[in-house]
Amino acid sequence: MSKGPLSGIKVIDFSRVLAGPHCAKTLHDLGADVIKVEPPRPDISRSALPQYNSISYYYIQQNAGKRNVSLDLNYPEAREIAKKLISEADILVENFRAGTLAFFGLDYESVREINPGLIYVSISGYGQGGPLSHRAAYAPTVHAESGFTSTFLSHLGDDLAQDRHDPYSHADIYTGLEATIGVLAALHRRGVTGEGQHIDVAMAATMLTINERVHVDLSDADLGAEPPALGPSFSPFFRTSTGEKITIATSVVASLSFPLYIGAMRRADLARDPRFQTPELRKKNLAEFHQIVQDWILTFDSLAALDAQLDEAKLAFGVVRDIKDFAESEWARWWGATEAIDDRAGGTARVPGKPWRFSANELEHPGIPAFRGEHNGEVLRELGYNSEQIAELTSRNVMTKDPAVQ
């Protein structure tokens, strides 16, 4: 039994690729028992690279520690197994196109009859109803539809030789986390009322929710040359005397933050400099002010000394590192920011550690990634099936398994 705060909670994970698996992974990391139901045609993320005669590292990151049964839902016996799993579950996670599980009689309205306390979360591009519910959705397409890609390209400006996407699947990861939040809220409500419910989570809505600039982008206000004081698009880069590239998380142009820079440099005279007296002028003369700050930063012989003076002025900075460098840092080792997972082929995959520390619960190692169908027998025995029944279902391909499973 897990020691995490969700110990005792059972999750049935019908999802694949990223958004749904990340939701179920988060619940697992918090202590829930997660059973992934995978079709004979495997989760496509098993084919992702890199993999070294092993389970793909993409799959490992999102699915390590989940138990796995492989069911062909075209068989009525497989649908019966799925219903038995659901009848004992607290949570069901799915991220098919709207209506897919209804085809198998596994939609919320059908399964709530066998488990009224079930919390059933559906993750999709545009929700379970409405004009776009029929659309397939992946992160790049939802980024494009929701304005994220347009904003990203516009801030690259003249530096962009051709259109390109941000390299991360924000819509999937954030939607998985928003789904987790909804599940935890529904668990709390069930604790009060005893009733489960359906949660409909849309990737497109999530991309608006996590966009801290929506209020600006939808406003008719003329901001002129005055940018927000904070935000990645306005954070300048500098070089230090010891060779690092750093970024300071505050605009050098905005009226709220410009005084912080001149305060840090002890340069009150710059407030009276005609080149820098308004946002318009600071933007026009940005290169000159940037050089003044750069020259000042080069006077420090260590990051610690620079940090002390920037911190005094309420300016935060970060060193631009690659992920490997950060993962080997003193802080990352102290926190346990990465974990090593057995890749089932004699090697290990390094994946993110957990972002939480609980004072009253111990969070455990995620465990190993399962081959498809690895826990068929174990899970069915828990449901009351005997060895003969399991063998018969396997012989008829109602249940299948990866060839690596003995």
Side-chain angles (χ1 to χ4, degrees):
M1 179 70 75
S2 165
K3 300 175 184 177
L6 292 184
S7 175
I9 295 295
K10 181 174 284 187
V11 180
I12 307 301
D13 178 13
F14 279 94
S15 65
R16 71 273 188 263
V17 189
L18 187 49
H22 192 69
C23 171
K25 169 198 179 298
T26 304
L27 297 170
H28 167 70
D29 286 346
L30 290 167
D33 175 18
V34 178
I35 299 174
K36 184 178 178 79
V37 179
E38 194 168 355
R41 191 177 193 177
D43 184 331
I44 193 174
S45 68
R46 286 189 181 274
S47 301
L49 298 174
Q51 52 182 292
Y52 306 99
N53 298 313
S54 66
I55 297 173
S56 83
Y57 284 16
Y58 188 117
Y59 186 89
I60 290 171
Q61 181 168 332
Q62 303 304 327
N63 296 281
K66 300 176 183 178
R67 295 194 286 168
N68 189 292
V69 296
S70 184
L71 301 176
D72 187 341
L73 294 177
N74 290 300
Y75 288 92
E77 296 92 338
R79 298 195 291 274
E80 185 61 28
I81 293 169
K83 288 178 180 178
K84 287 183 178 181
L85 285 170
I86 292 167
S87 71
E88 298 183 356
D90 298 286
I91 299 160
L92 184 152
V93 179
E94 66 97 359
N95 67 341
F96 294 103
R97 199 178 308 197
T100 298
L101 285 183
F103 180 79
F104 300 105
L106 300 175
D107 55 298
Y108 176 66
E109 293 302 324
S110 297
V111 301
R112 70 182 297 192
E113 297 179 7
I114 61 175
N115 186 351
L118 181 71
I119 295 162
Y120 187 120
V121 59
S122 297
I123 300 170
S124 62
Y126 305 100
Q128 298 301 297
L132 296 179
S133 61
H134 65 286
R135 293 269 295 276
Y138 289 88
T141 61
V142 175
H143 292 175
E145 293 275 7
S146 63
F148 181 89
T149 301
S150 174
T151 301
F152 174 70
L153 293 175
S154 68
H155 280 278
L156 289 176
D158 295 337
D159 296 330
L160 189 66
Q162 61 183 18
D163 288 347
R164 68 189 67 169
H165 290 282
D166 181 288
Y168 296 102
S169 298
H170 301 282
D172 283 303
I173 292 296
Y174 293 146
T175 305
L177 294 176
E178 295 289 354
T180 304
I181 292 168
V183 164
L184 297 178
L187 274 176
H188 170 73
R189 181 181 182 276
R190 192 184 70 173
V192 175
T193 68
E195 298 176 353
Q197 61 182 299
H198 181 236
I199 307 168
D200 184 2
V201 188
M203 294 165 72
T206 293
M207 290 310 294
L208 291 179
T209 299
I210 60 93
N211 181 351
E212 77 274 21
R213 287 183 46 84
V214 166
H215 66 284
V216 175
D217 296 335
L218 297 183
S219 171
D220 293 328
D222 181 8
L223 300 178
E226 183 70 80
L230 294 172
S233 297
F234 307 102
S235 300
F237 293 91
F238 300 97
R239 286 285 180 183
T240 70
S241 64
T242 46
E244 296 90 353
K245 181 192 287 187
I246 66 169
T247 187
I248 298 178
T250 315
S251 168
V252 297
V253 173
S255 298
L256 287 174
S257 51
F258 174 72
L260 304 180
Y261 282 92
I262 62 177
M265 294 186 292
R266 313 288 200 268
R267 290 289 306 273
D269 61 296
L270 293 174
R272 301 184 296 274
D273 191 308
R275 295 172 296 174
F276 310 129
Q277 289 186 343
T278 67
E280 290 84 359
L281 288 169
R282 289 192 290 274
K283 188 174 183 180
K284 178 181 177 181
N285 299 294
L286 179 60
E288 294 172 63
F289 185 72
H290 186 279
Q291 190 61 52
I292 291 170
V293 179
Q294 176 63 84
D295 291 343
W296 172 75
I297 285 173
L298 289 171
T299 65
F300 291 86
D301 58 10
S302 70
L303 281 176
L306 175 62
D307 184 23
Q309 197 149 336
L310 289 174
D311 187 60
E312 181 182 307
K314 308 302 181 188
L315 290 171
F317 83 94
V319 176
V320 179
R321 307 174 184 268
D322 65 30
I323 292 177
K324 287 185 177 180
D325 183 29
F326 179 64
E328 297 301 328
S329 68
E330 180 182 6
W331 178 86
R333 291 194 297 271
W334 167 77
W335 182 267
T338 64
E339 295 178 300
I341 306 293
D342 186 335
D343 71 359
R344 309 299 298 275
T348 57
R350 291 179 69 188
V351 303
K354 298 174 181 65
W356 330 273
R357 288 184 172 184
F358 291 89
S359 63
N361 290 100
E362 179 182 347
L363 299 180
E364 300 173 319
H365 185 274
I368 63 174
F371 294 111
R372 182 179 57 80
E374 183 168 352
H375 301 99
N376 286 350
E378 175 184 313
V379 171
L380 262 67
R381 282 189 289 272
E382 291 174 3
L383 295 176
Y385 289 79
N386 60 40
S387 297
E388 291 74 18
Q389 290 171 312
I390 294 170
E392 193 268 338
L393 291 167
T394 302
S395 69
R396 294 176 48 228
N397 292 323
V398 173
M399 292 192 311
T400 58
K401 59 186 179 181
D402 188 283
V405 179
Q406 302 300 316

